[in-house]
Amino acid sequence: AQSVTQLGSHVSVSEGALVLLRCNYSSSVPPYLFWYVQYPNQGLQLLLKYTSAATLVKGINGFEAEFKKSETSFHLTKPSAHMSDAAEYFCAVSERGGSYIPTFGRGTSLIVHP
Amino acid sequence: DAGVIQSPRHEVTEMGQEVTLRCKPISGHDYLFWYRQTMMQGLELLVYFNNKAVMDDSGMPKDRFSAKMPNASFSTLKIQPSEPRDSAVYFCASSPDRSSYNEQFFGPGTRLTVL
C-alpha cells in the first residue's frame, strides 16, 4: 500500500527566503513521486516528478526535490521564494507495477510574506 | 492545445436539486478521473474510467452520485439529490495510459455550493 504524509499544512516564508516543503512516503515497491502545485481557483499542475533517473529532480519555476530512499522522503525546495510561489503544494506517490492511481497528500499551503 | 475542460466553473443550487458536472479530457488520453476537494478531506478520488469503462468507483457515494463516460471525449458526474455536504470543488483529470509514472492533467474545477 502507498501513502504520503506532508508535514505542516501551512508554511510561511519571507520573500527571498528558502522554501522547504516536506513529504514522506510509504510504498511496498519502488515508487514514482510527484509534486503538484495548485494556484488559487485553478486545478493542480505538475511541478516535477521522480521516475528513478537522477535522485535530484528539477522542476518548473526554480523548484527541485531530492529522492532519499533511506529517509523515504521527497522534500521540495526552492532557494529563494517569490510572491508568486504562494499556492497549495501536493505531494503524490504511485507504485511501479501496481495501481497507477497516485495517492495524494493533504497539501501544504505556502504563504510568502513581502 | 486545449487542456482538460470542465463546465460549469461555478454552480450554486438548492438542496434536493440535481446537479450535473461535465468534463472533456485531453484528446488521446485513455484515463479520466473525478476528484472532490474539501478543506476537511483534502483531495478524494471519486471514480475513474479507462477507455470509457468504470474501473473503480469505490470512493463515490452510490446512493446519490453517478458518473458516466458515453464517449472518449466527454464525461459527466451527476448528483441527485444534492445535499449541503456535497459543497466542494470537483476536479476532472485525464492521463495518457496506465503507466504509473504518468502525471495527471487537471481541469480548472467546478466549485459547487449546495444551499
Side-chain angles (χ1 to χ4, degrees), chain B residues 4-8 11 19-24 34 74-77 92 110:
Chain B
V4 175
I5 299 171
Q6 291 186 247
S7 65
E11 178 80 34
V19 175
T20 299
L21 311 182
R22 298 172 176 81
C23 174
K24 176 180 170 56
W34 282 101
F74 183 67
S75 176
T76 60
L77 180 68
C92 176
T110 295

Side-chain angles (χ1 to χ4, degrees), chain A residues 3-22:
Chain A
S3 66
V4 168
T5 302
Q6 291 185 241
L7 297 175
S9 59
H10 295 83
V11 170
S12 182
V13 300
S14 298
E15 191 172 21
L18 171 71
V19 175
L20 171 61
L21 304 182
R22 299 178 186 274

Side-chain angles (χ1 to χ4, degrees), chain A residues 32 34 36 38 41-44 46 49 51 90 94-97 99-102 104 106, chain B residues 9 31 33 35 37 39-43 45 48 91 98 100-101 103-104 106-108 111:
Chain A
Y32 295 116
F34 308 81
Y36 286 82
Q38 182 182 26
N41 300 313
Q42 295 185 27
L44 282 69
L46 185 70
K49 64 179 178 182
T51 58
F90 294 87
S94 181
E95 290 186 336
R96 298 184 202 185
S99 167
Y100 41 89
I101 307 305
F104 285 86
R106 290 299 303 270
Chain B
R9 292 295 310 277
Y31 288 86
F33 307 83
Y35 288 91
Q37 185 180 39
M39 291 293 290
M40 293 297 293
Q41 300 297 328
L43 199 62
L45 178 63
Y48 77 92
F91 289 104
R98 68 172 296 156
S100 52
Y101 55 76
E103 68 181 279
Q104 294 188 342
F106 283 77
R111 182 174 296 277

Side-chain angles (χ1 to χ4, degrees), chain B residues 48-111:
Chain B
Y48 77 92
F49 296 82
N50 173 26
N51 288 325
K52 303 178 294 181
V54 173
M55 300 303 292
D56 187 348
D57 61 1
S58 59
M60 193 170 71
K62 310 273 192 320
D63 56 337
R64 299 182 299 107
F65 284 62
S66 63
K68 294 183 179 180
M69 193 165 185
N71 59 63
S73 60
F74 183 67
S75 176
T76 60
L77 180 68
K78 187 174 292 186
I79 308 173
Q80 166 64 18
S82 58
E83 297 181 1
R85 58 179 169 153
D86 301 328
S87 296
V89 180
Y90 291 80
F91 289 104
C92 176
S94 69
S95 189
D97 57 41
R98 68 172 296 156
S99 301
S100 52
Y101 55 76
N102 277 324
E103 68 181 279
Q104 294 188 342
F105 294 81
F106 283 77
T110 295
R111 182 174 296 277

Side-chain angles (χ1 to χ4, degrees), chain A residues 49-63:
Chain A
K49 64 179 178 182
Y50 166 75
T51 58
S52 83
T55 56
L56 182 62
V57 182
K58 295 186 184 300
I60 61 173
N61 300 335
F63 283 93

